[in-house]
Amino acid sequence: MNKKFDVVVIGGGIIGCSIAYYLAKENINVAVLEGQQVGQKTTKAAAGMLGAHSEWDHSESFFTFARNSQLTYFHLQEELKELCGIDIELKKGGIFKLAYTDLEKKQLTPLLTQTSARWYNEEELKEQIPGIHPNIIGAAYIEDDVNVLPVSVCNAFCKGAQILGASIFEYTHVFQIQKNDSHYLIKTTNGNLEAKTIVVASGVWSNPLFGQLGLHHEIIPVKGECISVRSEKVALKHTLFHEQKYIVPRNDGRLVIGATMVDNEWNEKPSLGGIESLIQSAKKMLPEIQDMKIDSFWAGLRPRTLDYNPFIGTHPEEDQILFATGHFRNGILLAPATGKLIRDLILKRKVNRNWIEAFKINR
Amino acid sequence: MNKKFDVVVIGGGIIGCSIAYYLAKENINVAVLEGQQVGQKTTKAAAGMLGAHSEWDHSESFFTFARNSQLTYFHLQEELKELCGIDIELKKGGIFKLAYTDLEKKQLTPLLTQTSARWYNEEELKEQIPGIHPNIIGAAYIEDDVNVLPVSVCNAFCKGAQILGASIFEYTHVFQIQKNDSHYLIKTTNGNLEAKTIVVASGVWSNPLFGQLGLHHEIIPVKGECISVRSEKVALKHTLFHEQKYIVPRNDGRLVIGATMVDNEWNEKPSLGGIESLIQSAKKMLPEIQDMKIDSFWAGLRPRTLDYNPFIGTHPEEDQILFATGHFRNGILLAPATGKLIRDLILKRKVNRNWIEAFKINR
Amino acid sequence: MNKKFDVVVIGGGIIGCSIAYYLAKENINVAVLEGQQVGQKTTKAAAGMLGAHSEWDHSESFFTFARNSQLTYFHLQEELKELCGIDIELKKGGIFKLAYTDLEKKQLTPLLTQTSARWYNEEELKEQIPGIHPNIIGAAYIEDDVNVLPVSVCNAFCKGAQILGASIFEYTHVFQIQKNDSHYLIKTTNGNLEAKTIVVASGVWSNPLFGQLGLHHEIIPVKGECISVRSEKVALKHTLFHEQKYIVPRNDGRLVIGATMVDNEWNEKPSLGGIESLIQSAKKMLPEIQDMKIDSFWAGLRPRTLDYNPFIGTHPEEDQILFATGHFRNGILLAPATGKLIRDLILKRKVNRNWIEAFKINR
Amino acid sequence: MNKKFDVVVIGGGIIGCSIAYYLAKENINVAVLEGQQVGQKTTKAAAGMLGAHSEWDHSESFFTFARNSQLTYFHLQEELKELCGIDIELKKGGIFKLAYTDLEKKQLTPLLTQTSARWYNEEELKEQIPGIHPNIIGAAYIEDDVNVLPVSVCNAFCKGAQILGASIFEYTHVFQIQKNDSHYLIKTTNGNLEAKTIVVASGVWSNPLFGQLGLHHEIIPVKGECISVRSEKVALKHTLFHEQKYIVPRNDGRLVIGATMVDNEWNEKPSLGGIESLIQSAKKMLPEIQDMKIDSFWAGLRPRTLDYNPFIGTHPEEDQILFATGHFRNGILLAPATGKLIRDLILKRKVNRNWIEAFKINR
């Protein structure tokens, strides 16, 4: 392997694959370097909620970016199925953000000003979801906060990019980047590559690359533990959400319960305490879940920045180096918009100034 | 558990679930009893080729029945997705039945009289499939012999039946059937049930039930071993078929290589010799496959009758007992038509006399 | 397969394999019939505590039988290693039966009358096990209640029996037993066998065989769920036991937490509620366990009789049919003594009358 | 984590854990840094043959070093069992290095000059191993070339080192080493550490560290694929070896078939072609193996130097940096001797000059 590319993306998770897909659509000669297999780490561990509203933290830039990304998914479903045959398993049904107290109900007020959200009172909710916990007093319902199967989205971006001409190198770990006159030399366990432009999309594994590239920014791993259970009955149709925990129904009848948040933890195995807290949260939403049988459990490491917003933008001093990392709990949701934003930055197209400001490296 | 049902189906593979689905659509009170989990044995092991033409053995009844079933799948895809959200992953692309010699080409002549098949000569074939083995002289192409994901079809039938009112009992092993005045008492590890009508759809595990029900028919297990590999490149689009072996592409880029035939073998693990023969067959079709990485391997036990045709029909002496077993290599293909035929027999509807004759128990 | 044996044992768990081992040592022509693979169901799910004292329910016969079996293990370790090379992983360290209240301390009094047990007060205990829960007021310590790796014991019995001439038939499901003049004809999915003597050692799957053999005895499945965790530190040396739950240390540093009891449950997958209760019990014994990472979780079905004692003895009316089933929580502990007792019954040797009375079928 | 150690070993495979064990025995404050879990990569993939003779390439230094290591294992078995309870599963029986032709017989002559080897002619061999291939004309037998379970050895070294005071940090990936006045600062994903002495024992992942430390030495990954099968009969007692392939019997009755050699391959999954070649080699030694059932298959990446000998020694310019990597096919065999040699180099003890010369970095 001794090849030259216009753009090399370091990291084959959903963010890197989305970037490769949108660049390949513009006939750019792009390669993805992945240390293991595409989409098998943080991406695979995600539940896949597209929570543009439910994960909203009241920052306007974040919301418009997330909403743009969410709406892109509604088109991608057909586009990727058509191109490479993969169903991203977009599951309708929306999300109920639950309130148990008047305070929690009040905290939902800003969300309920959005036209895409509406309030369900206790009776409506219990009619809609017969097994819901009796103490719940209502919920905000957002029809558009659907979910997808993250590993399928990532595979579809990857296969789609390949079909459009991109190169994917798996089992290729980058250990050094050298700047030459007109390009970057990327040293990997698998040989060297040249690139005019580099995009770092390495999630929690970005820190050594920040260091190599002269920056002191930091990504903190936040472990998230999940369980999936198998319902023997006709399953839940809607996602339930409360205090950052959720129950997400899959098309095949499984329910995914997620996710804990453990800062600065690199061990990718769930702990006893983490699993216990998930079970307790799930029972508080849907008591009958305690009888369901466990299908599997796992954990993933989400990349978090100090201010919880992602880094999407160019290196402060080298405009042929870009970053797309630090997406924390929202990597699946933000993947399409991130891919398009990086594409536009590389092609020097016009982009939303608010997003540039919100996600730039030096802020 | 001490319940009464109009119909109890014994066996929760794709055949039993299809029967339950078609009965539930008619508002019949139906239950499925499955000793383990639904769709996890023979069904899960199948590659899912809908080879109405490619598995054709020149019996007219078999072909019309298989073709009817195949065409039903084209509707089921939407119907099941709509009803329960599950994509059965019907993958277009059709099948190439390969010829290496003039004799093999000649043997394809009857198939090529079908309007749904057409001949590809060597150049056409090599253009269509660049990596094909150089010794191949041509192939019969059948566009309609697509493939599905068997476990998804079975889950969709099962969830669909549940949504329409059917009961599914997993981990429920039947060990005795007693005839009472007006009904059958079914003794299971999980308690007793009553049924007016019983359908035996237990595949290779049907023999003890034949014995219990006074019959001496026999089902022979035929082990089939499979391997799946992961292609790092843009993958094969079409199924390749030669000498009962095949390479089936999946939507996610994996290729399934199947299947051996080992008569009278109950051990469900692949043998070294079986895996070796699959690899050799696959290399003979697509030489570059030898560099692909193995994803997994497995085996399943196909239920075969003495004359290789399934038993689909009523007990010779008890018309409230029906059989739907012995589908051999064609369980996935024949599941929809089998479900409809059993439904029609139970509802005393008009059915194709040729099919009755071809598949009846005493023949 | 159409063979004749002196003794056919139905069931290839640890009980069946122990019986075959002790019969093969006497040069008896014995075969084991196992529906799946040897030792992969209830046996594999067990933690392997040899709790002759800690599982003691104050019945004298049970205790002497259990203690005899426990002492046999101390010899078997060398004997089986020598014969077939397999280490049964007998792990010394004994067990602490914990008391949190004066009442619990008092309940340990009968146990402490045994010379093999002794009391540890709070300070002694906290010195011995630094991370123990602060509320514990003391514990009964039994040095001889060690543990073994059940799957290794079962494999060693099985391989040992084979070396001594026994035949093992896996994937061989028995569905009918017919009495002929001088022998029994056993019909299996894998063909027929003849036996002069039959031993039913089928655990929770014994009920259909009781029925076939004219008996109305019943085995109730009691699901037991377990978790294993991996300690990154120097691990616990002793088993901890409280309210039927335990933490068993393995040689490789893993800790096994067990086990729940769910009556009449056939589903072999752990439920959310079961796993939660295990975690809570484990934290109550060893709080720091909550940070340990989960290695795996599983469940098994223990065979329980109505009075909780096993059936070990001959059929009331047919003395060439014997039973060895219903060992509930103590199958691993009782396997050697059961093997020897069945051997002695078949060989018409002198046996302990109390054991005969305690475990006979009709009692 | 911000700790100071006398010695930090980078790499938690069998080599790194052996080094930590021998240093901890000398009361040296040692830590092991492992990017994933201890012993789960190259170590876990090894078959565990201690082939001091059978892997001999006629270099005297290599042989004496390997033989020293092999003899150390015979003591370690008891020593590690005593210290931490782990059985390294040393399996006696020795190895037969097979000859099919007169030429192959002749090539065994140098080996047969060793007193620890002896020739078996055709009849002797066929009596010893009834199922052996009929074309074999004889074999060199080496009783001392036994095998161990690599993952157990590595766990025992690791747990043993911990018991003796060593620190083990898993999920801790090293990305930079800085030299300060009196120590090295090691930057990891998991925080920084200080060490007076560093040992690089990172196997195929050593290249970035060579680069960091100013060296241009190179480790080439050589993928080795393996299969394990389960014998239903009384299993093979001895290892069979021919043309770098082998069949190694395990205590539990499984047979491990290994191993291919694929230079410069980073993908850790077996390929179809690799598995096919293993099956063919195994059948050539033991024809009946073709009917055995596959238990699992896997691959590992062996670290090879340009001249096929390991690097065991100090950095040419910095004597507080040592290397222990590049053990190629012999990492398990050489682990004890490597641990002792590194210990002696760090403690400035007297060591065999031939070994120093043979394995030094600049040669």
mmCIF file with all atom_site columns, all heavy atoms in Angstrom, chain A residues 341-352:
data_model
loop_
_atom_site.group_PDB
_atom_site.id
_atom_site.type_symbol
_atom_site.label_atom_id
_atom_site.label_alt_id
_atom_site.label_comp_id
_atom_site.label_asym_id
_atom_site.label_entity_id
_atom_site.label_seq_id
_atom_site.pdbx_PDB_ins_code
_atom_site.Cartn_x
_atom_site.Cartn_y
_atom_site.Cartn_z
_atom_site.occupancy
_atom_site.B_iso_or_equiv
_atom_site.pdbx_formal_charge
_atom_site.auth_seq_id
_atom_site.auth_comp_id
_atom_site.auth_asym_id
_atom_site.auth_atom_id
_atom_site.pdbx_PDB_model_num
ATOM 1   N N   . LEU A 1 341 ? -21.051 18.835 6.328  1.00 0.00 ? 341 LEU A N   1
ATOM 2   C CA  . LEU A 1 341 ? -20.313 20.035 6.725  1.00 0.00 ? 341 LEU A CA  1
ATOM 3   C C   . LEU A 1 341 ? -18.826 19.896 6.377  1.00 0.00 ? 341 LEU A C   1
ATOM 4   O O   . LEU A 1 341 ? -18.200 20.828 5.835  1.00 0.00 ? 341 LEU A O   1
ATOM 5   C CB  . LEU A 1 341 ? -20.507 20.281 8.232  1.00 0.00 ? 341 LEU A CB  1
ATOM 6   C CG  . LEU A 1 341 ? -19.822 21.509 8.840  1.00 0.00 ? 341 LEU A CG  1
ATOM 7   C CD1 . LEU A 1 341 ? -20.102 22.785 8.052  1.00 0.00 ? 341 LEU A CD1 1
ATOM 8   C CD2 . LEU A 1 341 ? -20.276 21.690 10.295 1.00 0.00 ? 341 LEU A CD2 1
ATOM 9   N N   . ILE A 1 342 ? -18.248 18.732 6.663  1.00 0.00 ? 342 ILE A N   1
ATOM 10  C CA  . ILE A 1 342 ? -16.840 18.510 6.312  1.00 0.00 ? 342 ILE A CA  1
ATOM 11  C C   . ILE A 1 342 ? -16.655 18.582 4.793  1.00 0.00 ? 342 ILE A C   1
ATOM 12  O O   . ILE A 1 342 ? -15.704 19.204 4.297  1.00 0.00 ? 342 ILE A O   1
ATOM 13  C CB  . ILE A 1 342 ? -16.354 17.151 6.875  1.00 0.00 ? 342 ILE A CB  1
ATOM 14  C CG1 . ILE A 1 342 ? -16.287 17.183 8.408  1.00 0.00 ? 342 ILE A CG1 1
ATOM 15  C CG2 . ILE A 1 342 ? -15.006 16.766 6.279  1.00 0.00 ? 342 ILE A CG2 1
ATOM 16  C CD1 . ILE A 1 342 ? -15.158 18.018 9.003  1.00 0.00 ? 342 ILE A CD1 1
ATOM 17  N N   . ARG A 1 343 ? -17.578 17.977 4.064  1.00 0.00 ? 343 ARG A N   1
ATOM 18  C CA  . ARG A 1 343 ? -17.521 18.069 2.591  1.00 0.00 ? 343 ARG A CA  1
ATOM 19  C C   . ARG A 1 343 ? -17.500 19.526 2.148  1.00 0.00 ? 343 ARG A C   1
ATOM 20  O O   . ARG A 1 343 ? -16.673 19.945 1.345  1.00 0.00 ? 343 ARG A O   1
ATOM 21  C CB  . ARG A 1 343 ? -18.743 17.363 1.986  1.00 0.00 ? 343 ARG A CB  1
ATOM 22  C CG  . ARG A 1 343 ? -18.886 17.523 0.478  1.00 0.00 ? 343 ARG A CG  1
ATOM 23  C CD  . ARG A 1 343 ? -20.316 17.261 0.028  1.00 0.00 ? 343 ARG A CD  1
ATOM 24  N NE  . ARG A 1 343 ? -21.241 18.242 0.624  1.00 0.00 ? 343 ARG A NE  1
ATOM 25  C CZ  . ARG A 1 343 ? -22.560 18.116 0.660  1.00 0.00 ? 343 ARG A CZ  1
ATOM 26  N NH1 . ARG A 1 343 ? -23.137 17.046 0.160  1.00 0.00 ? 343 ARG A NH1 1
ATOM 27  N NH2 . ARG A 1 343 ? -23.315 19.063 1.209  1.00 0.00 ? 343 ARG A NH2 1
ATOM 28  N N   . ASP A 1 344 ? -18.397 20.332 2.704  1.00 0.00 ? 344 ASP A N   1
ATOM 29  C CA  . ASP A 1 344 ? -18.500 21.727 2.279  1.00 0.00 ? 344 ASP A CA  1
ATOM 30  C C   . ASP A 1 344 ? -17.260 22.527 2.663  1.00 0.00 ? 344 ASP A C   1
ATOM 31  O O   . ASP A 1 344 ? -16.814 23.400 1.912  1.00 0.00 ? 344 ASP A O   1
ATOM 32  C CB  . ASP A 1 344 ? -19.753 22.368 2.878  1.00 0.00 ? 344 ASP A CB  1
ATOM 33  C CG  . ASP A 1 344 ? -21.024 21.758 2.291  1.00 0.00 ? 344 ASP A CG  1
ATOM 34  O OD1 . ASP A 1 344 ? -20.936 21.083 1.229  1.00 0.00 ? 344 ASP A OD1 1
ATOM 35  O OD2 . ASP A 1 344 ? -22.101 21.944 2.875  1.00 0.00 ? 344 ASP A OD2 1
ATOM 36  N N   . LEU A 1 345 ? -16.678 22.213 3.827  1.00 0.00 ? 345 LEU A N   1
ATOM 37  C CA  . LEU A 1 345 ? -15.455 22.912 4.226  1.00 0.00 ? 345 LEU A CA  1
ATOM 38  C C   . LEU A 1 345 ? -14.305 22.563 3.283  1.00 0.00 ? 345 LEU A C   1
ATOM 39  O O   . LEU A 1 345 ? -13.539 23.438 2.858  1.00 0.00 ? 345 LEU A O   1
ATOM 40  C CB  . LEU A 1 345 ? -15.080 22.532 5.668  1.00 0.00 ? 345 LEU A CB  1
ATOM 41  C CG  . LEU A 1 345 ? -15.981 23.119 6.764  1.00 0.00 ? 345 LEU A CG  1
ATOM 42  C CD1 . LEU A 1 345 ? -15.687 22.468 8.118  1.00 0.00 ? 345 LEU A CD1 1
ATOM 43  C CD2 . LEU A 1 345 ? -15.817 24.640 6.855  1.00 0.00 ? 345 LEU A CD2 1
ATOM 44  N N   . ILE A 1 346 ? -14.213 21.293 2.891  1.00 0.00 ? 346 ILE A N   1
ATOM 45  C CA  . ILE A 1 346 ? -13.137 20.882 1.980  1.00 0.00 ? 346 ILE A CA  1
ATOM 46  C C   . ILE A 1 346 ? -13.325 21.492 0.609  1.00 0.00 ? 346 ILE A C   1
ATOM 47  O O   . ILE A 1 346 ? -12.368 21.945 -0.021 1.00 0.00 ? 346 ILE A O   1
ATOM 48  C CB  . ILE A 1 346 ? -13.061 19.338 1.908  1.00 0.00 ? 346 ILE A CB  1
ATOM 49  C CG1 . ILE A 1 346 ? -12.458 18.792 3.209  1.00 0.00 ? 346 ILE A CG1 1
ATOM 50  C CG2 . ILE A 1 346 ? -12.239 18.875 0.706  1.00 0.00 ? 346 ILE A CG2 1
ATOM 51  C CD1 . ILE A 1 346 ? -12.482 17.283 3.343  1.00 0.00 ? 346 ILE A CD1 1
ATOM 52  N N   . LEU A 1 347 ? -14.579 21.562 0.153  1.00 0.00 ? 347 LEU A N   1
ATOM 53  C CA  . LEU A 1 347 ? -14.866 22.102 -1.180 1.00 0.00 ? 347 LEU A CA  1
ATOM 54  C C   . LEU A 1 347 ? -15.030 23.613 -1.159 1.00 0.00 ? 347 LEU A C   1
ATOM 55  O O   . LEU A 1 347 ? -15.400 24.208 -2.169 1.00 0.00 ? 347 LEU A O   1
ATOM 56  C CB  . LEU A 1 347 ? -16.131 21.443 -1.743 1.00 0.00 ? 347 LEU A CB  1
ATOM 57  C CG  . LEU A 1 347 ? -16.026 19.933 -2.011 1.00 0.00 ? 347 LEU A CG  1
ATOM 58  C CD1 . LEU A 1 347 ? -17.340 19.395 -2.552 1.00 0.00 ? 347 LEU A CD1 1
ATOM 59  C CD2 . LEU A 1 347 ? -14.903 19.656 -3.013 1.00 0.00 ? 347 LEU A CD2 1
ATOM 60  N N   . LYS A 1 348 ? -14.780 24.220 -0.006 1.00 0.00 ? 348 LYS A N   1
ATOM 61  C CA  . LYS A 1 348 ? -14.898 25.677 0.141  1.00 0.00 ? 348 LYS A CA  1
ATOM 62  C C   . LYS A 1 348 ? -16.289 26.180 -0.257 1.00 0.00 ? 348 LYS A C   1
ATOM 63  O O   . LYS A 1 348 ? -16.440 27.237 -0.876 1.00 0.00 ? 348 LYS A O   1
ATOM 64  C CB  . LYS A 1 348 ? -13.837 26.403 -0.718 1.00 0.00 ? 348 LYS A CB  1
ATOM 65  C CG  . LYS A 1 348 ? -12.429 25.841 -0.637 1.00 0.00 ? 348 LYS A CG  1
ATOM 66  C CD  . LYS A 1 348 ? -11.776 26.115 0.696  1.00 0.00 ? 348 LYS A CD  1
ATOM 67  C CE  . LYS A 1 348 ? -10.314 25.646 0.692  1.00 0.00 ? 348 LYS A CE  1
ATOM 68  N NZ  . LYS A 1 348 ? -9.790  25.491 2.067  1.00 0.00 ? 348 LYS A NZ  1
ATOM 69  N N   . ARG A 1 349 ? -17.279 25.397 0.067  1.00 0.00 ? 349 ARG A N   1
ATOM 70  C CA  . ARG A 1 349 ? -18.648 25.842 -0.208 1.00 0.00 ? 349 ARG A CA  1
ATOM 71  C C   . ARG A 1 349 ? -19.142 26.700 0.941  1.00 0.00 ? 349 ARG A C   1
ATOM 72  O O   . ARG A 1 349 ? -18.580 26.706 2.033  1.00 0.00 ? 349 ARG A O   1
ATOM 73  C CB  . ARG A 1 349 ? -19.565 24.632 -0.352 1.00 0.00 ? 349 ARG A CB  1
ATOM 74  C CG  . ARG A 1 349 ? -19.308 23.849 -1.606 1.00 0.00 ? 349 ARG A CG  1
ATOM 75  C CD  . ARG A 1 349 ? -20.291 22.707 -1.709 1.00 0.00 ? 349 ARG A CD  1
ATOM 76  N NE  . ARG A 1 349 ? -20.029 21.916 -2.914 1.00 0.00 ? 349 ARG A NE  1
ATOM 77  C CZ  . ARG A 1 349 ? -20.608 20.753 -3.154 1.00 0.00 ? 349 ARG A CZ  1
ATOM 78  N NH1 . ARG A 1 349 ? -21.459 20.235 -2.289 1.00 0.00 ? 349 ARG A NH1 1
ATOM 79  N NH2 . ARG A 1 349 ? -20.342 20.090 -4.272 1.00 0.00 ? 349 ARG A NH2 1
ATOM 80  N N   . LYS A 1 350 ? -20.221 27.364 0.700  1.00 0.00 ? 350 LYS A N   1
ATOM 81  C CA  . LYS A 1 350 ? -20.837 28.212 1.714  1.00 0.00 ? 350 LYS A CA  1
ATOM 82  C C   . LYS A 1 350 ? -21.445 27.321 2.811  1.00 0.00 ? 350 LYS A C   1
ATOM 83  O O   . LYS A 1 350 ? -22.113 26.334 2.515  1.00 0.00 ? 350 LYS A O   1
ATOM 84  C CB  . LYS A 1 350 ? -21.944 29.021 1.063  1.00 0.00 ? 350 LYS A CB  1
ATOM 85  C CG  . LYS A 1 350 ? -22.482 30.103 1.963  1.00 0.00 ? 350 LYS A CG  1
ATOM 86  C CD  . LYS A 1 350 ? -23.315 31.123 1.210  1.00 0.00 ? 350 LYS A CD  1
ATOM 87  C CE  . LYS A 1 350 ? -23.906 32.081 2.235  1.00 0.00 ? 350 LYS A CE  1
ATOM 88  N NZ  . LYS A 1 350 ? -25.322 32.317 2.080  1.00 0.00 ? 350 LYS A NZ  1
ATOM 89  N N   . VAL A 1 351 ? -21.167 27.676 4.055  1.00 0.00 ? 351 VAL A N   1
ATOM 90  C CA  . VAL A 1 351 ? -21.767 26.893 5.146  1.00 0.00 ? 351 VAL A CA  1
ATOM 91  C C   . VAL A 1 351 ? -22.358 27.816 6.200  1.00 0.00 ? 351 VAL A C   1
ATOM 92  O O   . VAL A 1 351 ? -22.001 29.004 6.284  1.00 0.00 ? 351 VAL A O   1
ATOM 93  C CB  . VAL A 1 351 ? -20.725 25.950 5.812  1.00 0.00 ? 351 VAL A CB  1
ATOM 94  C CG1 . VAL A 1 351 ? -20.339 24.805 4.897  1.00 0.00 ? 351 VAL A CG1 1
ATOM 95  C CG2 . VAL A 1 351 ? -19.512 26.719 6.249  1.00 0.00 ? 351 VAL A CG2 1
ATOM 96  N N   . ASN A 1 352 ? -23.253 27.274 6.956  1.00 0.00 ? 352 ASN A N   1
ATOM 97  C CA  . ASN A 1 352 ? -23.921 28.008 8.036  1.00 0.00 ? 352 ASN A CA  1
ATOM 98  C C   . ASN A 1 352 ? -22.888 28.519 9.048  1.00 0.00 ? 352 ASN A C   1
ATOM 99  O O   . ASN A 1 352 ? -22.199 27.738 9.695  1.00 0.00 ? 352 ASN A O   1
ATOM 100 C CB  . ASN A 1 352 ? -24.918 27.025 8.701  1.00 0.00 ? 352 ASN A CB  1
ATOM 101 C CG  . ASN A 1 352 ? -25.741 27.691 9.788  1.00 0.00 ? 352 ASN A CG  1
ATOM 102 O OD1 . ASN A 1 352 ? -25.250 28.577 10.497 1.00 0.00 ? 352 ASN A OD1 1
ATOM 103 N ND2 . ASN A 1 352 ? -26.995 27.261 9.917  1.00 0.00 ? 352 ASN A ND2 1
#
